[in-house]
Amino acid sequence: MDFNDTPDEAAFRAEARTFLQANAEPKSRARPVLRLGDLGGDAVAQCKAWQAKKADAGFAAISWPKRFGGREASPILQVIYHQEEENYAVPRGLFEIGLGMCIPTMMTYAQPEQLDRYVRPALRGEEVWCQLFSEPAGGSDLAALRTRAERDGDDWVINGQKIWTSGAHLSDFGIIVVRTDPNVPKHAGLSFFFLDMRSPGIEIRPIHQMSGASHFNEVFFTDVRVPDAQRLGAVGQGWQVSLTTLMNERLAVGEVHRPDVEDLLELARALMLSGNGAVRERIADWYARTQGLKFTRFRTMTALSRGQTPGPENSIHKLVNASKLQDIASYGLDLMGMAGLVMDDDLAEAYAMFQQALLSSPSARIAGGSDEILRNIIAERVLGLPADIRVDKDRPFSQVPTGRR
Amino acid sequence: MNFDFSDDLKQLRDQARRFLAEQSPPKVVRQVLEGGEPYAVALWQAMAEMGWLGAAIPEQYGGAGLGYEGLCVLAEELGRAVAPVPFASSAYLAAEALLLAGSDAQKRRLLPKLADGSAVGCFALAEGTGNPDPAHVSVRATGGRLTGSKWPVMDGDIAGFAVVVARDDGGETALFLADLAADGVSRRKLTTVDPSRDHARIDFAGAAAERLGARTGWPLVQRLLERAAILVAFEQVGGAQAALEMARDYALERYAFGRPIGSFQAIKHKLADVYVAIELARSNAYYGAWALSADAAELPLAAATARVSATEAFHLAAKENIQTHGGIGFTWDVDCHLYYRRSKQLALALGSAPWWKHRLVELLEMRNAA
Ligand SMILES: Cc1cc2nc3c(=O)[nH]c(=O)nc-3n(C[C@H](O)[C@H](O)[C@H](O)COP(=O)(O)OP(=O)(O)OC[C@H]3O[C@@H](n4cnc5c(N)ncnc54)[C@H](O)[C@@H]3O)c2cc1C
């Protein structure tokens, strides 16, 4: 075991530093980089410009094959790049889903010509992708989705509704899983496609979030035609393809949310509470958890760099991070006392980042696998405990109980 | 021992619940949340007509004389309805301050107005970041003139007058009455995590102030906070209960994997934990109600205990209600966030949990030393 860079890693780190120094602004500790969801149209342009720069310098997809603009390098270099980038204020939030989930799924299932067409523009940020999985009737239970696709000549015709689609309103393309056969058990009747978000018949309606932002959408499909050539995987194999996407989702963690433990420590110091025993204990607990996650990730990266596939144990990251964020935000407000609820920029402590996180963090415990689903995965897939007795798995989808909602 | 509300008060509770279900549905809360009005004016007027605003104000001062238990019952129902009205400021804080510290003339002048709703009062303690602490009081009342800033002041933008905690000519902490429409007062509405309740910053630049009664000293402020904390604990319990019921109803009707999500132990245990937290909080609040109505020596400790457990219960119930709802719980249009916002607003008004916990242990030590 060695936590120091190898000579190759050190050289890469120096290269990344040089690139960042020349092209990005160092981050000040206090002012958090706002997430895309909170920003206007300018932010999209900024995200795109930064992504192109990063891709051209070879830092956008370090472990991808060279023919797609990657370096074919170890995932450890990816971690190193992230560590360095963390010190800079770079725009984020537009490409994570596309590059973390959609394009990797494409790489597994799409034709070589399709990859030649789609990967580079996605990597350079010229084209944005979204993930059209969840539906009103299928969130945690994704395979309960009802959006239908019916074959018509060389095309499929899609009707139905997706929901919670992050960034659909900014996207050029999307990956979608739909039901192609309602008369077989739910997991067997799904198929997977990619599609042009400007296809006729697609209507996108933003959803107003409780935090005030509108980062996700409802997407309605009325007779939307998708060529069969855009099918990923065999007809009826949509569930397996979805699992590829979701496995990549679990890996795409590692994003640092603010406020983090350092922000809390800084707040406590500013409020002259850092000497308080109770405060110190809370900070120590969260720090130990943060470091535990960081080093767990290093272990995963090491395994990955040896060619092992990431497993369900990666559910740890979001499970711990999401509650930690909500709890740190709430505790931060408690430390501020009676003024903890104030959000005005000129009066609030720490630029109101604790207040903003209080209002946005509930989503982290739900999006991309809820706390409860992640615990089930750990219990069943890691610890080998028996799964719940299923009432929905073996009967035709059309006969599964659905309740009122 | 009789650790329950009387039949009369239970009737009041049922009546209040029905009334608020009609007069303070989420639509009314959202009207204020979204900036349509500073508070639910029509609801407030109706509450005044029903005599609620002066529930605990003695009849001789124009109140309904329902006593503190009656006020507790109403507080719980207002909490359940996340009612967007300045009730806590006017009925627990301003009215209590007058009752505790005011001269008879001051009581005669202001209490009837609070009771009939023709005046709204607020309590101005905080001066920015921090919990209640005499060392944090720097607003001065010298020669009958107030100078300095108070923020956040709950309902400070709505109220006609404020009970202001300030230093008197001798540097002692004392309470002062300030007319908020007077010269030398400027007010600014603040943005907060709960826009369904009004908060303001009030700047005093030599505004006229009248001393409230003759008493001075921090214990008076402390006492006022304790009394208010018991009433707020009822609001918190009411809000928590409503959030739990919302989660339970959704868990019954939402299906995943071919079953109601309420059939998953993860959801069952979650909601059972919320229930337990609420029942403990409710019982502690009841003890507080008794201490308040009997003006018992145990009141300070009862108040701190009720405050700590009600704050915990409401936060837990509100956040797990969102969690039980999944994605839909994070949307603006579903009511989960009304409870989540209010739970934090109430958790911070009167001082946050760490401060009350500290106070609780301090009181325990004092009791055990005696
Ligand atoms: C901010 C945000 C962004 C999102 N972005 C996208 C996106 O880009 N693309 C996309 O496709 N989706 C997206 N989603 C959707 C997200 O994946 C779903 O919200 C999530 O999977 C939960 O599904 P649901 O909302 O239907 O909740 P439900 O599945 O209805 O869950 C309700 C409650 O039941 C619990 N529950 C369900 N099943 C079980 C079980 N078996 N055992 C125990 N408890 C259970 C859940 O944990 C939850 O508490 C996003 C969601 C959010 C909040």
Side-chain angles (χ1 to χ4, degrees):
Chain A
M1 200 175 323
D2 187 357
F3 268 100
N4 296 315
D5 289 349
T6 63
D8 280 358
E9 287 164 1
F12 174 79
R13 193 184 291 278
E15 189 193 336
R17 250 178 223 176
T18 311
F19 165 72
L20 287 162
Q21 266 164 14
N23 293 288
E25 287 292 311
K27 194 189 275 180
S28 76
R29 187 68 219 157
R31 175 58 96 173
V33 184
L34 291 174
R35 298 274 315 173
L36 186 72
D38 312 320
L39 298 179
D42 239 21
V44 172
Q46 281 172 19
C47 278
K48 290 191 171 189
W50 170 245
Q51 185 66 21
K53 230 181 233 181
K54 193 166 141 178
D56 293 346
F59 290 108
I62 289 157
S63 54
W64 284 12
K66 289 197 173 133
R67 65 177 271 246
F68 297 134
R71 294 185 181 226
E72 285 174 33
S74 147
I76 294 182
L77 296 197
Q78 184 72 61
V79 173
I80 291 175
Y81 178 76
H82 272 309
Q83 287 175 338
E84 295 303 318
E85 202 193 66
E86 259 315 299
N87 301 319
Y88 290 83
V90 298
R92 287 232 178 96
L94 192 53
F95 305 108
E96 282 78 359
I97 290 174
L99 299 178
M101 302 167 73
C102 305
I103 297 297
T105 309
M106 291 283 282
M107 283 185 190
T108 313
Y109 291 98
Q111 302 303 316
E113 329 66 90
Q114 292 173 326
L115 296 177
D116 289 340
R117 157 67 187 84
Y118 292 106
V119 175
R120 287 261 181 183
L123 189 65
R124 292 195 80 249
E126 292 156 17
E127 290 171 352
V128 182
W129 287 66
C130 64
Q131 177 207 8
L132 299 147
F133 278 24
S134 303
E135 294 189 10
S140 302
D141 182 11
L142 175 60
L145 61 89
R146 292 180 193 165
T147 295
R148 290 276 285 132
E150 278 162 354
R151 188 74 193 242
D152 181 29
D154 285 342
D155 289 345
W156 292 81
V157 180
I158 301 180
N159 279 287
Q161 184 201 344
K162 295 288 174 179
I163 195 169
W164 320 127
T165 317
S166 301
H169 57 304
L170 303 171
S171 292
D172 302 287
F173 297 94
I175 52 173
I176 186 167
V177 53
V178 291
R179 187 162 303 281
T180 43
D181 187 351
N183 298 315
V184 293
K186 61 204 282 192
H187 297 91
L190 305 176
S191 302
F192 200 109
F193 299 87
F194 71 89
L195 51 71
D196 186 335
M197 290 302 285
R198 294 187 187 84
S199 309
I202 295 184
E203 192 200 336
I204 300 169
R205 288 188 209 154
I207 302 173
H208 195 186
Q209 298 165 196
M210 63 164 267
S211 57
S214 291
H215 183 49
F216 53 25
N217 305 270
E218 291 182 287
V219 183
F220 295 88
F221 295 83
T222 314
D223 294 331
V224 176
R225 300 190 81 86
V226 181
D228 186 54
Q230 291 180 194
R231 177 164 42 79
L232 299 176
V235 174
Q237 212 201 348
W239 181 249
Q240 285 71 15
V241 184
S242 307
L243 291 181
T244 313
T245 313
L246 296 176
M247 189 188 74
N248 279 292
E249 176 169 39
R250 247 179 260 136
L251 264 188
V253 285
E255 200 208 325
V256 180
H257 290 282
R258 305 279 300 274
D260 58 17
V261 186
E262 300 292 336
D263 292 311
L264 189 61
L265 186 58
E266 176 58 29
L267 177 72
R269 208 192 48 74
L271 302 180
M272 295 190 294
L273 290 169
S274 54
N276 179 300
V279 176
R280 292 169 87 88
E281 278 200 35
R282 299 293 288 268
I283 290 173
D285 284 342
W286 281 314
Y287 181 76
R289 256 177 261 174
T290 306
Q291 292 298 97
L293 282 184
K294 179 168 147 192
F295 296 133
T296 300
R297 187 156 178 78
F298 286 4
R299 286 165 54 209
T300 308
M301 289 301 151
T302 303
L304 228 65
S305 69
R306 294 182 183 144
Q308 295 169 17
T309 29
E313 66 280 359
N314 284 295
S315 306
I316 288 179
H317 293 277
K318 201 182 74 79
L319 180 61
V320 176
N321 261 330
S323 286
K324 180 163 67 87
L325 180 65
Q326 186 173 38
D327 294 347
I328 288 180
S330 180
Y331 190 62
L333 266 59
D334 286 345
L335 293 189
M336 296 170 203
M338 294 180 286
L341 79 175
V342 175
M343 295 185 80
D344 296 84
D345 213 35
D346 60 326
L347 296 175
E349 299 289 339
Y351 305 96
M353 83 169 119
F354 286 84
Q355 288 78 6
Q356 277 161 11
L358 182 86
L359 297 177
S360 63
S361 59
S363 70
R365 294 177 57 203
I366 298 162
S370 67
D371 285 3
E372 291 73 26
I373 293 299
L374 296 179
R375 288 197 179 95
N376 283 345
I377 290 173
I378 292 170
E380 294 168 17
R381 312 243 330 266
V382 182
L383 300 178
L385 296 172
D388 277 6
I389 292 164
R390 294 284 290 263
V391 297
D392 60 327
K393 229 176 159 173
D394 301 321
R395 49 172 117 175
F397 176 68
S398 51
Q399 291 168 28
V400 172
T402 56
R404 279 169 288 159
R405 289 208 210 192
Chain B
M1 177 160 39
N2 173 6
F3 208 53
D4 196 0
F5 288 108
S6 69
D7 287 345
D8 280 356
L9 288 177
K10 282 185 193 159
Q11 220 177 336
L12 174 69
R13 175 162 62 198
D14 293 344
Q15 197 191 339
R17 188 168 302 181
R18 277 196 304 274
F19 168 80
L20 288 167
E22 223 170 80
Q23 304 286 321
S24 182
K27 200 175 68 165
V28 169
V29 183
R30 285 171 179 276
Q31 177 71 7
V32 176
L33 178 77
E34 289 164 9
E37 39 176 10
Y39 66 104
V41 178
L43 170 64
W44 186 248
Q45 276 159 2
M47 287 167 63
E49 278 159 27
M50 314 230 324
W52 290 8
L53 306 189
I57 295 176
E59 275 151 312
Q60 67 186 115
Y61 300 119
L66 284 173
Y68 286 102
E69 287 188 21
L71 190 56
C72 288
V73 162
L74 293 176
E76 183 177 345
E77 295 311 314
L78 289 162
R80 164 185 275 278
V82 281
V85 286
F87 194 72
S89 297
S90 213
Y92 324 152
L93 288 161
E96 280 297 305
L98 279 158
L99 286 167
L100 273 183
S103 68
D104 195 56
Q106 286 168 332
K107 290 182 196 170
R108 276 184 199 294
R109 173 157 55 92
L110 289 169
L111 286 173
K113 288 189 181 160
L114 289 179
D116 70 15
S118 56
V120 172
C122 66
F123 180 58
L125 168 62
E127 299 183 14
T129 304
N131 272 312
D133 185 339
H136 291 167
V137 178
S138 64
V139 167
R140 310 204 138 263
T142 29
R145 302 261 155 209
L146 279 167
T147 17
S149 302
K150 289 285 184 186
W151 65 273
V153 180
M154 186 169 48
D155 301 309
D157 214 29
I158 295 171
F161 74 90
V163 174
V164 183
V165 180
R167 300 206 168 275
D168 66 11
D169 293 300
E172 280 260 28
T173 316
L175 301 180
F176 293 85
L177 286 168
D179 176 353
L180 296 177
D183 285 349
V185 180
S186 55
R187 296 192 259 183
R188 165 185 159 190
K189 194 175 167 67
L190 300 177
T191 315
T192 72
V193 297
D194 182 11
S196 71
R197 294 289 281 103
D198 177 83
H199 289 83
R201 175 183 166 127
I202 306 181
D203 291 306
F204 297 103
E210 168 190 342
R211 185 188 268 278
L212 189 63
R215 291 163 60 186
T216 58
W218 182 254
L220 185 60
V221 175
Q222 185 75 54
R223 190 132 182 257
L224 189 56
L225 289 173
E226 282 157 1
R227 297 172 78 81
I230 293 166
L231 293 156
V232 168
F234 276 91
E235 274 195 49
Q236 291 170 307
V237 167
Q241 181 67 34
L244 173 61
E245 287 170 15
M246 191 180 169
R248 191 223 21 221
D249 290 350
Y250 190 75
L252 282 169
E253 70 184 35
R254 171 72 172 172
Y255 272 57
F257 305 97
R259 306 159 42 170
I261 58 168
S263 73
F264 296 118
Q265 286 200 338
I267 299 294
K268 279 190 215 174
H269 289 187
K270 178 197 301 300
L271 299 187
D273 286 344
V274 172
Y275 169 82
V276 169
I278 293 174
E279 289 311 304
L280 299 184
R282 187 191 308 282
S283 301
N284 282 326
Y286 275 31
Y287 183 63
W290 166 79
L292 197 57
S293 55
D295 206 8
E298 291 89 336
L299 191 142
L301 185 54
T305 312
R307 171 84 180 150
V308 168
S309 58
T311 298
E312 183 192 319
F314 197 7
H315 181 59
L316 181 71
K319 78 187 171 105
E320 298 310 325
N321 181 32
I322 297 177
Q323 183 66 17
T324 302
H325 278 73
I328 198 94
F330 186 63
T331 60
W332 187 269
D333 292 343
V334 168
D335 296 330
C336 299
H337 68 117
L338 305 184
Y339 301 102
Y340 187 68
R341 292 173 187 278
R342 185 63 62 83
S343 78
K344 206 62 203 178
Q345 187 264 321
L346 292 177
L348 297 169
L350 312 180
S352 61
W355 184 79
W356 282 96
K357 288 178 184 174
H358 182 80
R359 171 87 184 137
L360 188 157
V361 177
E362 203 173 69
L363 289 161
L364 266 185
E365 286 169 340
M366 271 152 62
R367 187 187 71 181
N368 295 354

